[in-house]
């Protein structure tokens, strides 16, 4: 599932965006100031960031400088919609620019376009010896189809989209199960063990001491 971070300090706008993107099949998280956004970006993996400019603590332009080295596409969504502001945002590295007020249908179209340009929305994923059809949720290895439970499939996508990044157990639990992590690692460990065995990635999904797991793949 595509993960999107919404950085918007006006809660009603943030809620509106989140509801519509969630209905469209995206997984969303929200930050209400630049400092909170920086923390979330440090802790999580995102496919796209929707970024307001006028933010408390750290503004959108400053936050974009923090995002750029992470190769995450950014759409500015802001009331600062003058030509000069658009040019500044695009020159700094934003992928698109949407002025407020906006129509939800236009937002969805721009999100799809940016994801497509950055190849974040591809139907087929191929990595190592595994192929994933994200529309039909079919996972194959060579000519063999691998049967995974829903949680195992979501776990596989999480590792594939976070390659070479150490994921904390609490991050994995919260992303896959959608609940606050209660400190019991057995659920995460059991599902990781089953996934590794089913797809033969015992040497690729490795345990990271006192952290969690990392999917190791050569770039």
């Amino acid at each position: 599932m595509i993960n999107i971070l919404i950085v918007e300090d006006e809660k009603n706008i943030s809620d509106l965006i989140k509801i519509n993107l969630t209905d469209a099949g995206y997984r969303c998280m929200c930050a209400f100031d630049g400092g909170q956004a920086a923390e979330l970006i440090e802790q999580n993996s995102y496919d796209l960031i929707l970024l307001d400019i006028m933010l408390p603590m750290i503004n959108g332009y400053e936050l974009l400088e923090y995002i750029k080295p992470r190769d995450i596409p950014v759409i500015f969504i802001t009331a600062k919609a003058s030509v000069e502001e658009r040019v500044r945002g695009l020159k700094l590295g934003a992928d698109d620019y949407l002025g407020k007020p906006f129509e939800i249908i236009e937002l969805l179209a721009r999100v799809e376009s940016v994801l497509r340009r950055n190849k974040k929305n591809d139907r087929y994923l191929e990595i190592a010896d595994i192929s994933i059809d994200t529309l039909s949720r079919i996972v194959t290895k060579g000519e063999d189809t691998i049967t995974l439970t829903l949680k195992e499939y979501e776990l596989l996508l999480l590792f594939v989209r976070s390659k070479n990044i150490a994921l904390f157990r609490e991050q994995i639990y919260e992303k896959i199960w959608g609940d606050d992590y209660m400190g019991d690692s057995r659920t995460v460990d059991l599902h990781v063990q089953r996934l590794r065995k089913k797809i033969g990635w015992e040497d690729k999904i490795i345990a990271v001491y006192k952290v969690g797991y990392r999917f190791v793949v050569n770039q």
Side-chain angles (χ1 to χ4, degrees), residues 141-156:
K141 185 173 185 177
E143 297 183 357
D144 298 325
T145 299
I146 301 172
T147 302
L148 300 177
T149 66
L150 176 59
K151 295 304 182 187
E152 290 167 350
Y153 172 80
E154 291 180 344
L155 190 59
L156 173 61

Side-chain angles (χ1 to χ4, degrees), residues 1-3 26 45-48 70-73 111-123 125 134 161 163:
M1 183 177 288
I2 297 294
N3 293 307
Y26 301 106
S45 173
Y46 296 105
D47 300 291
L48 175 66
R70 299 171 183 272
D71 195 30
I72 305 172
V111 165
E112 290 181 13
S113 177
V114 169
L115 289 171
R116 187 166 56 249
R117 289 203 308 268
N118 287 272
K119 298 183 179 180
K120 300 283 188 177
N121 214 14
D122 288 352
R123 173 177 174 178
L125 300 175
T134 61
R161 288 173 170 156
K163 58 182 182 293

Side-chain angles (χ1 to χ4, degrees), residues 47-48 51 54 68 75 78 97 104 129 149 161 166 169 190 213:
D47 300 291
L48 175 66
L51 182 60
M54 303 298 289
K68 280 166 60 179
I75 299 177
T78 178
Y97 202 114
I104 288 297
D129 52 354
T149 66
R161 288 173 170 156
R169 284 184 174 86
L190 180 61
Y213 295 93

